[in-house]
Amino acid sequence: MKVRSHKKDKVNIITLGCSKNMVDSEVLSGQLQANDIDVIHENEKSDHNIVIVNTCGFIDKAKEESINTILDQVELKRRGKLDKVYVTGCLSERYKNNLEQEIPEVDAYFGTMELPLILKAFEADYKAELLGERLLATPRHYAYLKISEGCNRTCSFCAIPLMRGQHVSRSIEDLVKEAEGLVKKGVKEVMLIAQELTYYGLDIYKKRMLADLMNRLADVKGLEWIRLHYAYPSKFPLEILDVMRERDNICNYLDMPLQHASDNMLKAMKRQITQSEMNELISAIREKVPGIGLRTTLIAGFPGETREDVESLKTFLQKHRFERAGIFTYSHEENTTAYDLEDNIPHEEKEARAQEIMEVQQEINFEKNQEKVGQTFKTLIDKKESGRYLGRTEFDSVEVDNEVIINSTKKLPIGEFVNVKITKAYDFDLEGEVI
């Protein structure tokens, strides 16, 4: 079979799954580039000859997407459009042996911690001095900052520790240096991510150090927004709220996945917290940071979930009125402790329950958004689409939350802040004009 000859390799990295995966791809890109290898994220031109698929293996839908993407790339290789296909990431970490048997056309499979081995496949060297250097896959004005890897929690539904290992924090010095480097590239907003933010520091400093890290990052000149994602509710370090309240460039925003509200489900999910303790925590958060935007994620259809559990969750949502919530259906994952339970709720019923819960949240969203009409917010312009600008307030993160639709005849610079007065509100978006 004739394969196109290339003067020089060009690598296309396709990233699936979460923002933590995206950071891994950015780090890999930076290393390849430093070794004088052309690399691009999600290349649409098809002028590359090598593909690396960074996979997700979290839940069934993600695994299916990852496998389909691998098969698509293998087909391109079979047709002579590609020279090599490599696979890395969580799916590869978790199912490497199976994948090697099922899709042998892939040139090599790598786990989540095998960056030096990937580079070796390109006859490239891992450059330790490039710490924090990444080729960003995001627009240049925002970036994710991964503060730790892995997770020590034992949630019964979650396969992440199987794929990412135990919790390992990065040092405050390294993270501050990386943030400073990002600002020099034009980044104005960083989103702190980890499997579990609030555990940060326990392994290397022997105490929770997220508040200290936030203070140090808030001192980085030119960093206008710092946003917190994936905080675990059990043993929540309340001191981070004082820092959030006191420092202007830390967004009044917290993403805290609760997963459920019924005590039966929380116990079965091994969440190490009760509904009563969550009630107290949420009240404390709202008291310490008035006007905070609280985001959560929830699971519908966990084994043994009853109608009473669903009603308990809906009542909980109505009580606390989260600004944002995402609902997922339960996925039965091998080697998790929940896998021993009978996955006894049909898929259609899981979907119906998720929809029912989301309808409660949708109404809350609409009411909360209506309250913003007439108010003016500092808004970051993310992009222009169909003649309209799309931006976000400090209460909204990228891709998962609301956008502000801005009608402006004047040119607005992408990646800059403007003040927007909200004129209309919908379930999931706001509309406004520049003041």
Side-chain angles (χ1 to χ4, degrees):
M1 179 184 298
K2 190 177 179 188
V3 176
R4 294 179 301 166
S5 61
H6 285 260
K7 291 192 177 95
K8 188 178 178 187
D9 287 337
K10 184 169 184 178
V11 181
N12 178 30
I13 300 181
I14 299 171
T15 307
L16 305 167
C18 66
S19 50
K20 295 178 280 293
N21 254 17
M22 185 187 285
V23 171
D24 292 345
S25 291
E26 291 174 343
V27 171
L28 170 58
S29 305
Q31 289 281 344
L32 289 171
Q33 198 174 48
N35 279 279
D36 199 31
I37 295 166
D38 279 350
V39 60
I40 192 164
H41 294 286
E42 313 280 349
N43 187 17
E44 291 173 7
K45 289 183 185 171
S46 302
D47 58 347
H48 53 271
N49 66 315
I50 298 174
V51 164
I52 301 172
V53 183
N54 189 356
T55 58
C56 179
F58 185 43
I59 56 174
D60 286 342
K61 283 179 184 171
K63 287 187 275 193
E64 190 180 326
E65 183 188 19
S66 292
I67 289 165
N68 287 339
T69 304
I70 296 166
L71 291 172
D72 288 346
Q73 300 310 308
V74 162
E75 174 60 19
L76 289 173
K77 181 186 168 187
R78 189 189 66 76
R79 284 162 41 199
K81 300 279 180 73
L82 292 173
D83 295 339
K84 289 193 180 335
V85 175
Y86 297 111
V87 174
T88 183
C90 290
L91 189 80
S92 188
E93 175 75 35
R94 196 172 172 195
Y95 300 108
K96 187 177 179 183
N97 293 342
N98 303 48
L99 289 165
E100 283 173 340
Q101 289 173 3
E102 296 293 326
I103 317 176
E105 299 88 348
V106 168
D107 292 272
Y109 289 94
F110 303 97
T112 52
M113 303 297 172
E114 296 185 328
L115 174 60
L117 289 181
I118 301 174
L119 294 170
K120 205 170 178 183
F122 289 88
E123 296 177 1
D125 298 319
Y126 175 71
K127 298 182 186 293
E129 70 275 13
L130 286 179
L131 188 75
E133 281 296 316
R134 294 145 52 185
L135 183 62
L136 293 182
T138 53
R140 69 191 293 266
H141 61 279
Y142 64 78
Y144 296 97
L145 187 62
K146 182 155 49 162
I147 68 169
S148 64
E149 187 59 86
C151 187
N152 287 12
R153 303 291 184 179
T154 55
C155 303
S156 62
F157 54 83
C158 185
I160 285 172
L162 303 171
M163 300 179 282
R164 291 281 175 176
Q166 293 290 287
H167 182 101
V168 181
S169 301
R170 294 177 59 199
S171 75
I172 288 177
E173 285 67 32
D174 282 353
L175 291 164
V176 169
K177 186 180 172 188
E178 183 170 344
E180 287 169 345
L182 289 169
V183 169
K184 280 178 188 162
K185 289 180 180 175
V187 169
K188 293 188 170 62
E189 173 186 20
V190 296
M191 287 157 276
L192 304 193
I193 56 169
Q195 306 303 338
E196 212 276 68
L197 276 190
T198 53
Y199 204 87
Y200 176 77
L202 268 173
D203 53 329
I204 55 175
Y205 301 113
K206 307 307 172 201
K207 61 176 183 172
R208 293 174 189 266
M209 290 287 281
L210 182 57
D212 300 71
L213 174 64
M214 288 162 63
N215 258 323
R216 289 285 301 279
L217 290 173
D219 287 337
V220 174
K221 284 188 169 50
L223 196 49
E224 295 204 40
W225 275 359
I226 299 163
R227 187 181 297 283
L228 272 58
H229 276 283
Y230 319 124
Y232 194 88
S234 175
K235 299 184 175 66
F236 184 90
L238 289 169
E239 63 271 16
I240 71 175
L241 301 169
D242 298 324
V243 183
M244 185 181 284
R245 190 181 62 246
E246 288 158 12
R247 304 303 298 258
D248 287 344
N249 57 348
I250 297 178
C251 295
N252 287 339
Y253 176 97
L254 183 66
D255 181 349
M256 186 169 65
L258 297 175
Q259 313 304 3
H260 217 286
S262 144
D263 282 336
N264 292 334
M265 289 292 96
L266 292 169
K267 187 176 179 184
M269 290 177 174
K270 298 188 177 175
R271 292 291 289 167
Q272 305 170 334
I273 197 166
T274 63
Q275 183 177 128
S276 171
E277 288 166 336
M278 291 198 313
N279 288 337
E280 284 177 28
L281 174 60
I282 293 161
S283 297
I285 291 170
R286 293 215 185 270
E287 191 178 320
K288 276 182 173 273
V289 187
I292 190 171
L294 271 181
R295 173 179 180 77
T296 194
T297 44
L298 306 160
I299 296 172
F302 187 85
E305 185 184 61
T306 63
R307 279 308 314 170
E308 286 77 14
D309 296 325
V310 175
E311 292 305 319
S312 175
L313 178 50
K314 285 160 63 178
T315 303
F316 180 81
L317 282 179
Q318 285 161 336
K319 175 178 179 174
H320 291 294
R321 297 175 62 77
F322 294 93
E323 279 68 21
R324 310 281 176 260
I327 322 287
F328 295 90
T329 54
Y330 170 74
S331 179
H332 207 46
E333 295 298 316
E334 305 103 316
N335 300 319
T336 60
T337 52
Y339 198 67
D340 298 334
L341 304 172
E342 186 191 349
D343 187 14
N344 61 345
I345 299 166
H347 176 71
E348 294 75 19
E349 176 61 19
K350 288 178 189 173
E351 293 282 357
R353 290 181 187 186
Q355 182 60 34
E356 188 181 329
I357 295 160
M358 197 63 220
E359 280 169 11
V360 172
Q361 182 59 36
Q362 194 167 342
E363 197 170 311
I364 294 165
N365 276 14
F366 181 71
E367 289 165 3
K368 289 250 177 190
N369 282 349
Q370 287 295 324
E371 291 166 11
K372 291 185 166 70
V373 173
Q375 295 185 53
T376 300
F377 296 96
K378 180 180 175 181
T379 304
L380 182 57
I381 307 294
D382 277 334
K383 57 190 170 185
K384 188 177 185 182
E385 268 180 15
S386 309
R388 302 187 302 179
Y389 291 96
L390 298 175
R392 288 175 294 113
T393 70
E394 70 174 297
F395 309 108
D396 295 290
S397 195
V398 175
E399 291 181 354
V400 292
D401 292 328
N402 279 12
E403 287 181 315
V404 182
I405 302 158
I406 305 159
N407 296 304
S408 174
T409 48
K410 285 185 188 169
K411 188 177 180 188
L412 303 178
I414 306 299
E416 295 295 331
F417 289 93
V418 294
N419 287 319
V420 176
K421 184 177 182 181
I422 304 304
T423 53
K424 287 181 187 173
Y426 308 97
D427 292 351
F428 298 108
D429 290 309
L430 301 166
E431 201 168 318
E433 54 197 30
V434 177
I435 298 298

